[in-house]
Amino acid sequence: MDNQQSSNQHTIKDPVTISGVGLHTGAHVNMTLKPATPGYGIKFQRVDLPEQPVVKADVDYVVDTARSTTLEHNGARVSTIEHIMAALVGTGVDNVHIEIDGPEIPIMDGSSYPFIQKIEEAGIAEQDAKKVWYSIDTNITYYDDKKNVEMVALPAVDYRITCLIDFNSPILGTQHANLNSLQDFKEEVAPCRTFVFLHELEYLISNNLIKGGDINNAIVIVDKAVTEEQLGHLAKVFNREHISVAQREGILNNIQLHFPNEPARHKLLDIVGDLALVGVPIKAHIIANRPGHASNVEFARKIKQYIKKNKHIKDVPVYDPSKPAIFDLPRIERTLPHRYPMLLVDKIIDLTDSQVVGIKNVTFNEYFFQGHFPSNPVMPGVLQVEALAQCGGILALNTVPDPQNYDTYFIKIDNCKFKQKVFPGDTMILKMELLSPIRRGIVEMRGTVFVGNKVVTEGDLTAQIIKTRES
Protein backbone atom coordinates (compact mmCIF):
# COMPACT_ATOMS: atom_id res chain seq x y z
CA MET A 1 0.00 0.00 0.00
CA ASP A 2 2.46 2.61 -1.21
CA ASN A 3 -0.27 5.10 -2.08
CA GLN A 4 -0.41 6.52 1.48
CA GLN A 5 2.46 8.87 0.67
CA SER A 6 1.56 9.19 -3.03
CA SER A 7 1.55 12.55 -4.76
CA ASN A 8 -1.90 11.81 -6.25
CA GLN A 9 -5.34 11.34 -4.72
CA HIS A 10 -7.07 7.95 -4.59
CA THR A 11 -10.58 6.54 -4.45
CA ILE A 12 -11.96 2.99 -4.61
CA LYS A 13 -12.46 1.27 -7.96
CA ASP A 14 -15.85 -0.34 -7.31
CA PRO A 15 -18.65 -0.02 -4.75
CA VAL A 16 -18.47 -2.39 -1.81
CA THR A 17 -21.02 -3.12 0.94
CA ILE A 18 -20.28 -3.85 4.58
CA SER A 19 -22.98 -5.09 6.96
CA GLY A 20 -22.95 -5.44 10.71
CA VAL A 21 -24.25 -4.27 14.07
CA GLY A 22 -23.60 -0.92 15.72
CA LEU A 23 -21.81 -1.28 19.05
CA HIS A 24 -23.86 1.25 21.00
CA THR A 25 -27.20 1.24 19.17
CA GLY A 26 -27.38 -2.47 18.40
CA ALA A 27 -28.89 -1.53 15.04
CA HIS A 28 -28.11 -3.74 12.05
CA VAL A 29 -26.75 -1.49 9.32
CA ASN A 30 -25.64 -1.79 5.71
CA MET A 31 -22.86 0.52 4.62
CA THR A 32 -21.83 0.95 0.97
CA LEU A 33 -18.60 2.65 -0.03
CA LYS A 34 -18.72 4.23 -3.49
CA PRO A 35 -16.05 5.90 -5.67
CA ALA A 36 -15.90 9.69 -5.53
CA THR A 37 -14.32 12.42 -7.64
CA PRO A 38 -11.02 14.14 -6.73
CA GLY A 39 -11.39 16.66 -3.95
CA TYR A 40 -14.67 15.12 -2.74
CA GLY A 41 -13.21 13.94 0.55
CA ILE A 42 -15.11 11.49 2.75
CA LYS A 43 -18.85 11.97 3.22
CA PHE A 44 -21.56 9.88 4.87
CA GLN A 45 -25.13 9.77 3.59
CA ARG A 46 -28.03 8.52 5.72
CA VAL A 47 -30.06 6.82 2.97
CA ASP A 48 -32.63 5.61 5.52
CA LEU A 49 -33.81 9.16 6.29
CA PRO A 50 -36.42 11.01 4.20
CA GLU A 51 -34.12 13.65 2.73
CA GLN A 52 -31.10 11.32 2.65
CA PRO A 53 -28.91 14.02 4.23
CA VAL A 54 -25.12 14.05 3.92
CA VAL A 55 -22.49 14.87 6.54
CA LYS A 56 -18.86 15.48 5.71
CA ALA A 57 -16.16 13.74 7.73
CA ASP A 58 -14.88 16.94 9.28
CA VAL A 59 -14.07 17.94 12.85
CA ASP A 60 -16.45 20.90 12.51
CA TYR A 61 -19.36 18.45 12.55
CA VAL A 62 -18.37 16.38 15.61
CA VAL A 63 -21.19 16.55 18.16
CA ASP A 64 -20.32 13.77 20.61
CA THR A 65 -17.15 11.99 21.78
CA ALA A 66 -18.58 9.82 24.57
CA ARG A 67 -16.96 6.41 23.95
CA SER A 68 -16.85 7.03 20.17
CA THR A 69 -16.81 9.88 17.66
CA THR A 70 -20.13 11.10 16.27
CA LEU A 71 -20.80 13.45 13.36
CA GLU A 72 -24.02 15.36 12.68
CA HIS A 73 -25.03 17.88 10.01
CA ASN A 74 -28.24 18.64 8.11
CA GLY A 75 -30.06 15.97 10.09
CA ALA A 76 -27.52 13.27 9.25
CA ARG A 77 -26.06 11.72 12.41
CA VAL A 78 -23.43 8.98 12.16
CA SER A 79 -21.56 7.58 15.13
CA THR A 80 -18.50 5.38 15.76
CA ILE A 81 -16.81 6.62 12.60
CA GLU A 82 -13.24 6.37 13.86
CA HIS A 83 -12.47 2.80 12.73
CA ILE A 84 -13.61 3.23 9.12
CA MET A 85 -11.84 6.61 8.98
CA ALA A 86 -8.61 4.99 10.17
CA ALA A 87 -9.00 2.26 7.54
CA LEU A 88 -9.37 4.86 4.79
CA VAL A 89 -6.28 6.73 5.97
CA GLY A 90 -4.37 3.47 6.29
CA THR A 91 -5.19 2.47 2.71
CA GLY A 92 -4.54 5.94 1.31
CA VAL A 93 -8.13 6.50 0.13
CA ASP A 94 -8.88 10.23 -0.06
CA ASN A 95 -12.28 10.38 -1.76
CA VAL A 96 -15.24 8.10 -1.04
CA HIS A 97 -19.01 8.44 -0.67
CA ILE A 98 -20.41 6.25 2.11
CA GLU A 99 -24.10 5.36 2.13
CA ILE A 100 -25.42 3.97 5.39
CA ASP A 101 -28.95 2.94 6.35
CA GLY A 102 -28.57 3.42 10.10
CA PRO A 103 -27.14 5.74 12.75
CA GLU A 104 -23.90 3.92 13.51
CA ILE A 105 -20.98 2.36 11.63
CA PRO A 106 -20.90 -1.42 12.21
CA ILE A 107 -18.42 -2.41 14.90
CA MET A 108 -17.30 -5.63 13.14
CA ASP A 109 -14.57 -7.14 15.37
CA GLY A 110 -13.77 -3.82 17.06
CA SER A 111 -10.83 -2.99 14.79
CA SER A 112 -10.18 -1.47 11.35
CA TYR A 113 -9.02 -4.67 9.72
CA PRO A 114 -12.39 -5.86 8.30
CA PHE A 115 -12.84 -2.45 6.66
CA ILE A 116 -9.39 -2.63 5.08
CA GLN A 117 -10.23 -6.07 3.68
CA LYS A 118 -13.38 -4.66 2.06
CA ILE A 119 -11.55 -1.61 0.69
CA GLU A 120 -8.93 -3.88 -0.87
CA GLU A 121 -11.70 -6.08 -2.25
CA ALA A 122 -13.15 -3.00 -3.97
CA GLY A 123 -9.71 -2.00 -5.25
CA ILE A 124 -7.96 1.35 -4.99
CA ALA A 125 -7.73 3.68 -7.98
CA GLU A 126 -5.25 6.49 -8.47
CA GLN A 127 -6.83 9.74 -9.63
CA ASP A 128 -5.62 12.48 -11.92
CA ALA A 129 -5.33 15.06 -9.15
CA LYS A 130 -2.55 15.99 -6.78
CA LYS A 131 -2.74 15.09 -3.10
CA VAL A 132 -1.65 18.10 -1.09
CA TRP A 133 -0.01 17.26 2.23
CA TYR A 134 0.29 19.98 4.87
CA SER A 135 3.66 19.89 6.61
CA ILE A 136 3.43 21.06 10.21
CA ASP A 137 6.29 23.56 10.64
CA THR A 138 6.02 24.28 14.35
CA ASN A 139 4.99 22.45 17.51
CA ILE A 140 1.22 22.35 18.04
CA THR A 141 0.26 21.30 21.55
CA TYR A 142 -2.91 20.37 23.40
CA TYR A 143 -3.32 19.84 27.15
CA ASP A 144 -6.22 18.67 29.29
CA ASP A 145 -5.23 19.09 32.92
CA LYS A 146 -8.38 17.40 34.24
CA LYS A 147 -7.82 14.21 32.24
CA ASN A 148 -4.02 14.49 32.35
CA VAL A 149 -3.87 14.33 28.54
CA GLU A 150 -1.01 15.77 26.53
CA MET A 151 -0.78 15.75 22.73
CA VAL A 152 1.74 17.42 20.44
CA ALA A 153 2.37 17.56 16.69
CA LEU A 154 6.05 17.99 15.84
CA PRO A 155 7.48 18.88 12.42
CA ALA A 156 8.40 15.73 10.46
CA VAL A 157 8.99 14.61 6.89
CA ASP A 158 6.13 12.09 7.03
CA TYR A 159 3.18 11.06 9.21
CA ARG A 160 4.03 9.06 12.32
CA ILE A 161 2.47 8.54 15.74
CA THR A 162 3.71 7.64 19.21
CA CYS A 163 1.08 6.78 21.80
CA LEU A 164 1.25 6.11 25.54
CA ILE A 165 -1.61 4.85 27.70
CA ASP A 166 -1.69 4.59 31.48
CA PHE A 167 -4.94 3.66 33.21
CA ASN A 168 -3.34 3.05 36.60
CA SER A 169 -4.32 -0.59 36.23
CA PRO A 170 -2.16 -3.50 37.44
CA ILE A 171 -3.58 -5.63 34.63
CA LEU A 172 -3.07 -3.20 31.75
CA GLY A 173 -0.10 -1.25 33.08
CA THR A 174 1.65 1.47 31.06
CA GLN A 175 1.87 0.73 27.35
CA HIS A 176 3.49 2.39 24.34
CA ALA A 177 2.75 2.00 20.64
CA ASN A 178 4.41 3.45 17.56
CA LEU A 179 3.45 3.88 13.92
CA ASN A 180 6.54 4.88 11.95
CA SER A 181 4.86 4.83 8.54
CA LEU A 182 1.32 4.57 7.22
CA GLN A 183 2.55 1.65 5.15
CA ASP A 184 2.75 -0.31 8.43
CA PHE A 185 -0.84 0.49 9.45
CA LYS A 186 -2.50 -2.58 7.95
CA GLU A 187 -0.28 -5.13 9.67
CA GLU A 188 0.76 -3.33 12.84
CA VAL A 189 -2.30 -1.32 13.89
CA ALA A 190 -5.45 -2.18 11.93
CA PRO A 191 -6.11 -5.58 13.61
CA CYS A 192 -6.05 -4.08 17.12
CA ARG A 193 -9.45 -4.21 18.80
CA THR A 194 -11.18 -1.79 21.09
CA PHE A 195 -11.04 -2.56 24.80
CA VAL A 196 -13.08 -1.87 27.90
CA PHE A 197 -12.64 -2.48 31.62
CA LEU A 198 -15.06 -4.86 33.28
CA HIS A 199 -16.35 -2.21 35.69
CA GLU A 200 -17.11 0.04 32.69
CA LEU A 201 -18.80 -2.85 30.90
CA GLU A 202 -21.09 -3.49 33.84
CA TYR A 203 -22.12 0.17 33.89
CA LEU A 204 -22.74 0.21 30.13
CA ILE A 205 -24.83 -2.96 30.28
CA SER A 206 -26.90 -1.73 33.21
CA ASN A 207 -27.61 1.52 31.35
CA ASN A 208 -28.39 -0.26 28.06
CA LEU A 209 -25.56 1.60 26.30
CA ILE A 210 -23.88 -1.19 24.31
CA LYS A 211 -26.79 -2.98 22.69
CA GLY A 212 -24.50 -4.39 20.00
CA GLY A 213 -21.72 -5.39 22.37
CA ASP A 214 -20.22 -8.85 22.23
CA ILE A 215 -17.10 -10.41 23.69
CA ASN A 216 -15.92 -10.93 20.11
CA ASN A 217 -15.84 -7.22 19.26
CA ALA A 218 -13.97 -5.90 22.30
CA ILE A 219 -11.25 -6.92 24.71
CA VAL A 220 -12.70 -6.89 28.23
CA ILE A 221 -10.03 -6.27 30.86
CA VAL A 222 -10.87 -7.71 34.26
CA ASP A 223 -9.48 -5.27 36.80
CA LYS A 224 -11.05 -6.74 39.94
CA ALA A 225 -12.02 -10.10 41.39
CA VAL A 226 -15.03 -11.63 39.63
CA THR A 227 -17.55 -13.98 41.23
CA GLU A 228 -19.14 -16.95 39.48
CA GLU A 229 -22.48 -15.17 39.80
CA GLN A 230 -21.12 -12.16 37.86
CA LEU A 231 -19.67 -14.42 35.17
CA GLY A 232 -23.01 -16.16 34.87
CA HIS A 233 -24.78 -12.85 34.43
CA LEU A 234 -22.30 -11.80 31.73
CA ALA A 235 -22.76 -15.12 29.94
CA LYS A 236 -26.51 -14.53 29.90
CA VAL A 237 -26.08 -10.95 28.60
CA PHE A 238 -23.82 -12.10 25.78
CA ASN A 239 -25.89 -15.24 25.07
CA ARG A 240 -23.03 -17.61 25.93
CA GLU A 241 -23.11 -20.89 27.79
CA HIS A 242 -20.00 -20.06 29.73
CA ILE A 243 -17.63 -17.11 30.26
CA SER A 244 -14.38 -17.42 32.17
CA VAL A 245 -11.42 -15.33 33.23
CA ALA A 246 -7.80 -16.39 33.26
CA GLN A 247 -6.65 -14.52 36.33
CA ARG A 248 -3.08 -14.43 35.08
CA GLU A 249 -4.14 -12.67 31.87
CA GLY A 250 -6.96 -10.60 33.38
CA ILE A 251 -8.96 -10.78 30.13
CA LEU A 252 -12.54 -11.95 29.89
CA ASN A 253 -13.08 -15.35 28.22
CA ASN A 254 -9.33 -15.83 27.74
CA ILE A 255 -9.23 -13.89 24.47
CA GLN A 256 -5.75 -13.97 22.97
CA LEU A 257 -4.23 -10.59 22.25
CA HIS A 258 -2.89 -9.93 18.75
CA PHE A 259 -0.01 -7.99 20.33
CA PRO A 260 1.13 -7.64 23.96
CA ASN A 261 0.36 -3.90 23.67
CA GLU A 262 -2.84 -4.28 21.65
CA PRO A 263 -4.77 -1.73 23.80
CA ALA A 264 -2.14 0.95 23.17
CA ARG A 265 -2.15 0.13 19.46
CA HIS A 266 -5.92 0.49 19.37
CA LYS A 267 -5.68 3.91 21.00
CA LEU A 268 -3.22 4.78 18.23
CA LEU A 269 -5.76 3.51 15.69
CA ASP A 270 -8.35 5.86 17.18
CA ILE A 271 -5.91 8.75 16.82
CA VAL A 272 -5.47 7.98 13.11
CA GLY A 273 -9.25 7.93 12.61
CA ASP A 274 -10.03 11.02 14.66
CA LEU A 275 -7.21 13.16 13.27
CA ALA A 276 -8.42 12.33 9.76
CA LEU A 277 -11.21 14.79 10.59
CA VAL A 278 -8.71 17.64 10.21
CA GLY A 279 -9.70 17.30 6.55
CA VAL A 280 -6.15 17.68 5.21
CA PRO A 281 -3.46 14.97 5.14
CA ILE A 282 -0.64 16.13 7.37
CA LYS A 283 3.04 15.42 7.78
CA ALA A 284 3.91 15.51 11.46
CA HIS A 285 5.04 13.36 14.35
CA ILE A 286 2.09 13.03 16.72
CA ILE A 287 2.96 12.21 20.33
CA ALA A 288 -0.05 11.41 22.51
CA ASN A 289 -0.08 10.68 26.22
CA ARG A 290 -3.31 9.14 27.59
CA PRO A 291 -5.47 10.14 24.59
CA GLY A 292 -9.19 9.59 24.12
CA HIS A 293 -11.81 10.58 21.56
CA ALA A 294 -12.55 13.91 23.25
CA SER A 295 -8.88 14.94 23.32
CA ASN A 296 -8.26 13.61 19.80
CA VAL A 297 -11.10 15.73 18.44
CA GLU A 298 -10.05 18.87 20.31
CA PHE A 299 -6.50 18.36 19.05
CA ALA A 300 -7.85 17.92 15.51
CA ARG A 301 -9.73 21.21 15.91
CA LYS A 302 -6.53 22.93 17.00
CA ILE A 303 -4.54 21.54 14.06
CA LYS A 304 -7.27 22.56 11.61
CA GLN A 305 -7.38 26.09 13.04
CA TYR A 306 -3.61 26.36 12.73
CA ILE A 307 -3.66 25.18 9.11
CA LYS A 308 -6.52 27.53 8.24
CA LYS A 309 -4.67 30.46 9.78
CA ASN A 310 -1.26 29.67 8.29
CA LYS A 311 -2.00 27.83 5.05
CA HIS A 312 -1.41 30.90 2.91
CA ILE A 313 2.15 31.19 4.24
CA LYS A 314 2.98 27.96 2.42
CA ASP A 315 1.96 29.62 -0.84
CA VAL A 316 3.94 32.85 -0.44
CA PRO A 317 6.37 33.16 -3.38
CA VAL A 318 9.99 33.76 -2.42
CA TYR A 319 11.28 37.07 -3.80
CA ASP A 320 15.05 37.52 -4.05
CA PRO A 321 15.76 41.02 -5.50
CA SER A 322 19.30 39.96 -6.41
CA LYS A 323 18.10 37.37 -8.94
CA PRO A 324 17.44 38.48 -12.53
CA ALA A 325 13.82 38.90 -13.59
CA ILE A 326 12.20 36.57 -16.11
CA PHE A 327 10.45 39.61 -17.61
CA ASP A 328 12.08 43.00 -17.00
CA LEU A 329 10.21 46.24 -17.62
CA PRO A 330 11.04 46.54 -21.36
CA ARG A 331 9.88 42.94 -21.90
CA ILE A 332 6.66 43.63 -19.97
CA GLU A 333 6.01 46.67 -22.19
CA ARG A 334 6.47 44.52 -25.29
CA THR A 335 3.85 42.08 -23.95
CA LEU A 336 1.24 44.39 -22.39
CA PRO A 337 -0.32 47.52 -23.97
CA HIS A 338 -0.19 49.38 -20.62
CA ARG A 339 2.04 52.44 -20.06
CA TYR A 340 2.53 55.02 -17.31
CA PRO A 341 0.56 55.77 -15.26
CA MET A 342 -1.35 52.48 -15.68
CA LEU A 343 1.52 50.00 -15.88
CA LEU A 344 1.55 48.50 -12.40
CA VAL A 345 4.01 45.60 -12.72
CA ASP A 346 7.77 46.21 -12.40
CA LYS A 347 9.05 42.68 -13.08
CA ILE A 348 8.02 39.06 -13.48
CA ILE A 349 10.01 36.63 -11.31
CA ASP A 350 8.20 33.36 -12.06
CA LEU A 351 6.23 32.17 -15.07
CA THR A 352 4.94 28.67 -15.87
CA ASP A 353 2.03 27.35 -17.88
CA SER A 354 -0.18 27.55 -14.78
CA GLN A 355 1.01 30.51 -12.68
CA VAL A 356 2.83 33.83 -12.78
CA VAL A 357 4.45 35.90 -10.03
CA GLY A 358 5.09 39.61 -10.47
CA ILE A 359 6.52 42.42 -8.36
CA LYS A 360 5.24 45.95 -7.79
CA ASN A 361 7.38 48.30 -5.68
CA VAL A 362 5.10 50.90 -4.11
CA THR A 363 6.69 54.32 -3.55
CA PHE A 364 5.45 57.61 -2.15
CA ASN A 365 5.87 59.13 -5.62
CA GLU A 366 2.94 57.11 -7.06
CA TYR A 367 0.51 59.51 -8.76
CA PHE A 368 -2.54 58.16 -6.94
CA PHE A 369 -1.23 59.05 -3.47
CA GLN A 370 -1.84 62.72 -4.28
CA GLY A 371 -5.59 62.20 -4.13
CA HIS A 372 -6.14 58.91 -2.25
CA PHE A 373 -5.93 59.59 1.48
CA PRO A 374 -3.09 62.08 0.94
CA SER A 375 -2.53 62.57 4.67
CA ASN A 376 -2.36 58.82 5.22
CA PRO A 377 -1.33 57.27 1.86
CA VAL A 378 -3.04 53.96 1.08
CA MET A 379 -2.86 52.24 -2.30
CA PRO A 380 -6.35 51.90 -3.82
CA GLY A 381 -7.64 48.34 -3.75
CA VAL A 382 -8.88 48.56 -7.33
CA LEU A 383 -5.33 49.28 -8.48
CA GLN A 384 -4.06 46.26 -6.58
CA VAL A 385 -6.59 44.19 -8.54
CA GLU A 386 -5.45 45.93 -11.74
CA ALA A 387 -1.86 44.92 -10.96
CA LEU A 388 -3.04 41.32 -10.54
CA ALA A 389 -4.93 41.56 -13.81
CA GLN A 390 -1.82 42.72 -15.65
CA CYS A 391 0.11 39.73 -14.27
CA GLY A 392 -2.79 37.54 -15.36
CA GLY A 393 -2.54 39.03 -18.83
CA ILE A 394 1.09 37.95 -19.06
CA LEU A 395 0.13 34.44 -17.90
CA ALA A 396 -2.68 34.24 -20.47
CA LEU A 397 -0.62 35.59 -23.36
CA ASN A 398 2.19 33.20 -22.55
CA THR A 399 -0.10 30.39 -23.75
CA VAL A 400 -0.50 31.69 -27.32
CA PRO A 401 2.20 31.37 -30.01
CA ASP A 402 2.25 35.05 -31.05
CA PRO A 403 1.25 37.10 -27.97
CA GLN A 404 1.96 40.43 -29.70
CA ASN A 405 -1.20 39.85 -31.76
CA TYR A 406 -3.49 39.34 -28.75
CA ASP A 407 -4.83 41.30 -25.81
CA THR A 408 -6.54 40.14 -22.62
CA TYR A 409 -9.70 41.79 -21.33
CA PHE A 410 -11.03 40.97 -17.90
CA ILE A 411 -14.72 40.13 -17.91
CA LYS A 412 -15.42 39.13 -14.30
CA ILE A 413 -14.08 39.55 -10.75
CA ASP A 414 -15.46 37.37 -7.93
CA ASN A 415 -14.76 36.83 -4.23
CA CYS A 416 -12.51 39.88 -4.03
CA LYS A 417 -11.30 40.67 -0.50
CA PHE A 418 -9.02 43.42 0.80
CA LYS A 419 -7.44 42.14 4.01
CA GLN A 420 -4.59 44.56 4.68
CA LYS A 421 -3.64 48.10 3.63
CA VAL A 422 -0.76 48.69 1.22
CA PHE A 423 1.47 51.66 2.08
CA PRO A 424 4.38 53.48 0.40
CA GLY A 425 7.53 51.41 0.83
CA ASP A 426 5.71 48.07 0.51
CA THR A 427 6.73 45.49 -2.06
CA MET A 428 3.70 43.74 -3.52
CA ILE A 429 4.16 40.15 -4.64
CA LEU A 430 1.48 39.44 -7.25
CA LYS A 431 0.53 35.80 -7.81
CA MET A 432 -1.97 34.54 -10.39
CA GLU A 433 -2.82 30.84 -10.76
CA LEU A 434 -4.97 29.09 -13.34
CA LEU A 435 -8.10 27.59 -11.79
CA SER A 436 -8.91 25.46 -14.84
CA PRO A 437 -7.51 24.80 -18.32
CA ILE A 438 -7.97 27.65 -20.81
CA ARG A 439 -10.90 26.91 -23.11
CA ARG A 440 -12.00 29.06 -26.07
CA GLY A 441 -9.83 31.90 -24.86
CA ILE A 442 -11.49 32.07 -21.42
CA VAL A 443 -8.93 32.23 -18.59
CA GLU A 444 -10.05 31.66 -14.98
CA MET A 445 -7.46 32.63 -12.40
CA ARG A 446 -7.01 32.98 -8.66
CA GLY A 447 -5.12 36.11 -7.69
CA THR A 448 -3.32 36.89 -4.44
CA VAL A 449 -1.33 39.94 -3.39
CA PHE A 450 1.24 39.42 -0.64
CA VAL A 451 3.25 41.94 1.34
CA GLY A 452 5.84 39.94 3.20
CA ASN A 453 4.06 36.75 4.24
CA LYS A 454 0.67 38.44 4.68
CA VAL A 455 -2.18 38.24 2.19
CA VAL A 456 -3.39 41.77 1.51
CA THR A 457 -5.75 41.18 -1.42
CA GLU A 458 -7.26 38.14 -3.11
CA GLY A 459 -9.92 37.35 -5.68
CA ASP A 460 -11.00 35.22 -8.64
CA LEU A 461 -10.53 36.91 -12.00
CA THR A 462 -11.79 35.79 -15.42
CA ALA A 463 -10.31 37.14 -18.64
CA GLN A 464 -10.73 36.56 -22.35
CA ILE A 465 -7.91 36.39 -24.87
CA ILE A 466 -8.87 38.36 -28.00
CA LYS A 467 -6.90 38.70 -31.20
CA THR A 468 -6.19 42.36 -31.95
CA ARG A 469 -4.67 42.28 -35.43
CA GLU A 470 -3.50 39.93 -38.13
CA SER A 471 0.02 38.63 -37.73
Side-chain angles (χ1 to χ4, degrees):
M1 293 189 294
D2 296 334
N3 51 305
Q4 294 94 335
Q5 297 290 343
S6 171
S7 59
N8 280 17
Q9 298 179 33
H10 290 79
T11 188
I12 57 174
K13 289 181 179 178
D14 300 302
V16 64
T17 298
I18 304 166
S19 300
V21 175
L23 174 63
H24 300 289
T25 62
H28 187 276
V29 289
N30 300 296
M31 181 173 70
T32 301
L33 280 60
K34 294 185 173 182
T37 56
Y40 184 83
I42 300 166
K43 296 178 183 178
F44 297 91
Q45 183 176 24
R46 286 288 303 275
V47 295
D48 58 313
L49 298 179
E51 301 297 325
Q52 298 193 349
V54 173
V55 57
K56 183 179 181 180
D58 190 287
V59 68
D60 291 345
Y61 301 126
V62 175
V63 294
D64 192 4
T65 54
R67 307 206 67 85
S68 67
T69 301
T70 301
L71 301 169
E72 185 172 8
H73 184 60
N74 290 330
R77 187 180 182 95
V78 184
S79 62
T80 319
I81 56 115
E82 57 272 11
H83 298 168
I84 182 63
M85 292 298 297
L88 292 167
V89 173
T91 51
V93 174
D94 306 285
N95 306 299
V96 67
H97 181 81
I98 303 175
E99 296 180 351
I100 185 168
D101 62 2
E104 186 178 15
I105 304 297
I107 189 61
M108 311 306 284
D109 70 347
S111 78
S112 285
Y113 200 79
F115 298 124
I116 286 184
Q117 289 177 311
K118 286 292 187 177
I119 291 168
E120 291 182 338
E121 176 186 320
I124 300 172
E126 184 173 356
Q127 298 177 289
D128 186 19
K130 294 297 181 184
K131 180 171 183 173
V132 180
W133 295 80
Y134 187 93
S135 295
I136 301 298
D137 57 3
T138 189
N139 293 359
I140 302 175
T141 56
Y142 170 80
Y143 299 97
D144 185 331
D145 294 334
K146 292 182 180 180
K147 296 181 179 180
N148 198 22
V149 174
E150 179 181 1
M151 303 184 77
V152 60
L154 306 173
V157 297
D158 51 14
Y159 187 45
R160 57 182 58 198
I161 301 174
T162 300
C163 178
L164 174 145
I165 63 171
D166 181 6
F167 288 90
N168 195 28
S169 165
I171 301 299
L172 195 59
T174 300
Q175 293 187 1
H176 294 81
N178 294 286
L179 178 65
N180 294 320
S181 170
L182 283 174
Q183 295 182 16
D184 299 329
F185 181 83
K186 177 183 175 181
E187 302 297 334
E188 300 293 327
V189 177
C192 298
R193 298 156 292 180
T194 190
F195 64 95
V196 64
F197 289 97
L198 181 61
H199 69 272
E200 295 177 304
L201 182 66
E202 292 171 336
Y203 171 82
L204 294 169
I205 292 172
S206 63
N207 286 273
N208 202 28
L209 293 177
I210 52 168
K211 300 175 183 178
D214 187 272
I215 56 175
N216 287 332
N217 56 33
I219 300 166
V220 181
I221 298 169
V222 180
D223 52 349
K224 64 179 182 179
V226 185
T227 66
E228 288 297 325
E229 182 180 353
Q230 288 173 309
L231 290 174
H233 174 66
L234 289 172
K236 184 177 180 180
V237 168
F238 292 121
N239 196 26
R240 299 296 177 102
E241 291 185 6
H242 178 69
I243 286 182
S244 61
V245 177
Q247 296 298 335
R248 179 178 60 84
E249 296 280 341
I251 296 175
L252 195 67
N253 221 35
N254 306 330
I255 290 176
Q256 295 295 312
L257 296 180
H258 296 322
F259 303 92
N261 65 339
E262 185 171 352
R265 294 187 189 217
H266 183 81
K267 283 291 186 180
L268 192 154
L269 184 157
D270 283 342
I271 293 171
V272 172
D274 287 335
L275 291 191
L277 299 176
V278 169
V280 177
I282 61 174
K283 292 184 178 181
H285 182 185
I286 307 297
I287 301 176
N289 293 326
R290 294 170 291 274
H293 290 300
S295 58
N296 294 345
V297 167
E298 289 306 311
F299 190 43
R301 291 189 206 278
K302 196 164 187 180
I303 293 173
K304 182 176 180 180
Q305 289 170 358
Y306 176 85
I307 292 174
K308 185 176 181 180
K309 183 178 180 181
N310 296 278
K311 191 174 183 179
H312 72 273
I313 295 176
K314 301 292 183 183
D315 300 324
V316 178
V318 177
Y319 173 43
D320 184 350
S322 65
K323 290 186 177 180
I326 294 175
F327 278 27
D328 58 12
L329 195 55
R331 176 69 185 276
I332 292 172
E333 288 186 328
R334 289 198 300 270
T335 305
L336 297 178
H338 305 79
R339 298 295 182 269
Y340 177 84
M342 286 305 297
L343 182 56
L344 297 172
V345 182
D346 295 327
K347 64 172 76 170
I348 298 297
I349 62 170
D350 184 34
L351 180 60
T352 69
D353 58 356
S354 62
Q355 79 168 33
V356 62
V357 178
I359 299 297
K360 166 63 179 172
N361 296 299
V362 182
T363 75
F364 186 71
N365 294 323
E366 305 284 357
Y367 69 94
F368 44 77
F369 284 140
Q370 298 177 34
H372 194 260
F373 298 98
S375 61
N376 181 26
V378 176
M379 184 175 181
V382 291
L383 293 183
Q384 296 174 43
V385 175
E386 173 62 24
L388 281 173
Q390 291 177 20
C391 282
I394 291 174
L395 174 60
L397 294 173
N398 192 51
T399 65
V400 297
D402 47 353
Q404 69 276 6
N405 294 325
Y406 291 85
D407 283 328
T408 52
Y409 296 92
F410 278 78
I411 57 178
K412 187 169 65 170
I413 300 173
D414 290 323
N415 305 316
C416 193
K417 296 179 182 178
F418 302 102
K419 297 188 172 184
Q420 303 281 341
K421 298 182 182 70
V422 176
F423 300 106
D426 285 342
T427 297
M428 294 166 51
I429 303 174
L430 310 158
K431 182 179 181 181
M432 290 286 275
E433 306 167 273
L434 282 183
L435 293 175
S436 60
I438 299 174
R439 293 185 177 90
R440 297 184 178 181
I442 301 299
V443 191
E444 296 178 315
M445 293 170 278
R446 177 68 175 170
T448 311
V449 180
F450 301 91
V451 172
N453 63 0
K454 292 183 178 179
V455 174
V456 297
T457 302
E458 59 185 4
D460 299 327
L461 288 78
T462 303
Q464 185 173 17
I465 304 173
I466 297 177
K467 199 166 187 178
T468 55
R469 60 181 180 270
E470 294 299 326
S471 55

